[in-house]
């Protein structure tokens, strides 16, 4: 996807001149965030397929490609996945060395003239987008805050507009490997694929964190992504020397290069950053968020998986220790590397057929019989909770243990225990009620005693207040009042303590 940008000029209407975001003035087409801009659609087409943008060159440098080729389709609809795959297979089968496919002959400037104004890109109108019938969205300016609120028609304060252009690209494995290497069975060892795919994602995420810990732009990420694909060196990882152990050795070499990629491509973090307290912890927290961002916007799981499979086929092209060498098992009926989904309910794990039994032994969603013998089949992850809280065969205390029943029976037999021991339970409850009655009598006596003490203190206080009304005795009474206040305070504290004890006894 690229965006066509235009600015409104009084008296001339909308024009492409000087229309792009401030970070790339005088460029008419850009990526969504405006950090990468292009003067022509042809330059954009070249840039989206290659890491080395050569706008006016017709040379075909195969090593500069990312492994993608454009595919024509009706831009108003998404291409059908099967149709795209069939097109890719046809291109590979006929050894078609298609370039960016947006030009037909050399132009006066040494470049080549485009087929049409948009170079094969079509206006793409998202059904959920806020735009007019031509795909234009209108904004006051190209600032990031303004771009958050698009309008579907030009308002008085809207002076810029943009619309999305789209052209479908299909992945071309023949740009990386010969046909006899990548065409056999597509299935590879799922563990190796997942491991290598995660290493690819982590390498790019860490490199972008070295560039910026906060926000990211297309201009920062896309060159790093292209450099990362170059680091994989797909097509040049041929095993050397002893082919017996070459596959594992070469996979490890690729992983070592991926580990070193952030420092090689960006550079080591500054010493000031390394000595900051909590730097490693903050980096780990940032990695979690950055993985999601990179995976959603720049390096999808599908793309990482395809690259990992190509690496495996490259390094394992002789021994076939990590992928299948047959062209007749594409349906996956016999191939041990066939990807299969776990058959257990709610489990989304995907693995090679050879790991089916291994996964089944540890799958948390597999239903296993209760070890206590209740006959229930429970998911392995919920087995502990079932045995502890739900199994009718577990040991459980009598619900009337609070009144003195010490019996411990099976949870499924509690109803029968309550029924059979009803008389004994009645006696326990009656005895506990008699204990409560005796306790209540003692509490009532204590309450009356405290009320009498409180009344006595109130009388002493009134008498003291009457004495203090005499001005002549005010000075001599001051000391008595202080002593009396202390005494009253002590008594009040004692009363409060007694009331708390009574309240606690009542609750018990």
């Amino acid at each position: 996807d690229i965006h066509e940008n235009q600015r409104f000029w009084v008296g001339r209407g909308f024009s492409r001149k000087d229309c792009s975001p401030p970070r790339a003035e005088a460029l008419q087409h850009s990526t969504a965030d405006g950090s990468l801009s292009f003067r022509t659609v042809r330059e954009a087409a070249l840039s989206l397929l290659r890491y080395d943008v050569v706008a006016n060159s017709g040379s075909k440098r195969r090593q500069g490609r990312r492994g993608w080729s454009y595919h024509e389709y009706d831009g108003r609809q998404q291409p059908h996945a099967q149709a795209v795959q069939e097109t890719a297979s046809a291109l590979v089968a006929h050894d078609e060395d298609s370039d960016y496919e947006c030009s037909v002959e050399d132009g006066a400037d040494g470049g080549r003239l485009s087929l049409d104004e948009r170079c094969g890109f079509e206006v793409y109108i998202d059904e959920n987008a806020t735009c007019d019938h031509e795909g234009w969205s209108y904004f006051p300016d190209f600032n990031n805050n303004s771009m958050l609120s698009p309008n579907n028609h030009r308002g008085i304060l809207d002076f810029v507009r943009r619309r999305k252009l789209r052209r479908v690209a299909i992945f071309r494995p023949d740009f990386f490997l010969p046909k006899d290497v990548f065409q056999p069975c597509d299935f590879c060892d799922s563990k190796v694929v997942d491991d290598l795919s995660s290493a690819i994602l982590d390498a790019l995420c860490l490199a972008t964190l070295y560039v910026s810990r906060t926000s990211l732009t297309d201009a920062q990420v896309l060159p790093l992504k292209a450099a990362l694909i170059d680091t994989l060196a797909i097509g040049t990882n041929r095993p050397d020397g002893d082919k017996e152990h070459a596959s594992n050795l070469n996979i490890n070499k690729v992983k070592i290069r991926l580990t070193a990629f952030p420092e090689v491509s960006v550079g080591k973090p500054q010493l000031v950053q390394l000595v900051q307290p909590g730097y490693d912890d903050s980096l780990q927290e940032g990695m979690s968020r950055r993985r999601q961002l990179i995976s959603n916007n720049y390096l999808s799981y599908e793309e990482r998986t395809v690259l990992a499979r190509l690496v495996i086929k490259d390094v394992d092209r002789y021994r076939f220790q990590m992928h299948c060498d047959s062209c007749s098992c594409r349906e996956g009926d016999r191939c041990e590397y066939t990807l299969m989904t776990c058959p257990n309910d709610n489990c989304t794990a995907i693995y090679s057929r050879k790991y089916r039994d291994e996964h089944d032994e540890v799958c948390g969603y597999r239903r296993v019989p209760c070890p206590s013998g209740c006959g229930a089949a429970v998911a392995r992850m919920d087995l502990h909770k079932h045995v502890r809280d739900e199994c009718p065969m577990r040991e459980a205390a009598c619900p009337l243990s609070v009144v003195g029943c010490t019996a411990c029976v099976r949870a499924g037999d509690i109803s029968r225990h309550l029924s059979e021991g009803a008389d004994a339970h009645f006696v326990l409850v009656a005895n506990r009620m008699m204990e409560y009655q005796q306790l209540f009598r003692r509490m009532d006596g204590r309450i009356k005693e405290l009320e009498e003490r409180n009344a006595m203190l109130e009388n002493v206080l009134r008498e003291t207040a009457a004495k203090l009304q005499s001005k002549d005795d005010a000075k001599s009474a001051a000391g008595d009042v202080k002593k009396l206040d202390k005494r009253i305070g002590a008594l009040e504290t004692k009363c409060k303590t007694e009331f708390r004890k009574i309240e606690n006894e009542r609750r018990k």
Side-chain angles (χ1 to χ4, degrees), residues 460-476:
V460 173
L461 183 61
R462 283 193 295 268
E463 293 175 358
T464 304
K467 293 179 181 179
L468 290 176
Q469 292 179 357
S470 174
K471 295 182 179 180
D472 296 337
D473 298 335
K475 293 182 180 180
S476 60

Side-chain angles (χ1 to χ4, degrees), residues 229-277:
I229 296 176
D230 288 342
T231 300
L232 296 176
I234 303 174
T236 61
N237 294 294
R238 299 178 182 181
D240 298 325
D242 181 18
K243 297 180 181 179
E244 181 72 22
H245 306 93
S247 299
N248 292 332
L249 290 177
N250 280 34
I251 281 288
N252 291 334
K253 289 180 180 179
V254 174
K255 292 180 179 179
I256 292 173
R257 292 201 302 269
L258 290 174
T259 302
F261 173 75
E263 294 184 1
V264 172
S265 60
V266 180
K268 295 183 179 180
Q270 297 180 359
L271 181 61
V272 176
Q273 295 177 324
L274 293 176
V275 298
Q276 286 179 351

Side-chain angles (χ1 to χ4, degrees), residues 55-95:
N56 296 319
S57 174
S59 63
K60 294 185 178 182
R61 287 193 291 272
R62 197 181 188 105
Q63 67 275 15
R65 301 188 180 186
R66 295 176 179 170
W68 295 86
S69 175
Y70 285 123
H71 167 64
E72 304 303 333
Y73 81 107
D74 184 355
R76 293 169 296 180
Q77 298 178 351
Q78 287 284 8
H80 194 279
Q82 183 177 357
V84 174
Q85 182 60 38
E86 290 175 355
T87 303
S89 301
L91 290 173
V92 172
H94 293 86
D95 289 326

Side-chain angles (χ1 to χ4, degrees), residues 340-349 351 356 359-360 363 365-366:
M340 60 180 298
T341 303
C342 178
N344 298 318
D345 293 340
N346 300 320
C347 182
T348 59
Y351 47 83
R356 175 176 51 189
H359 172 78
D360 205 43
C363 179
Y365 293 95
R366 182 188 177 188

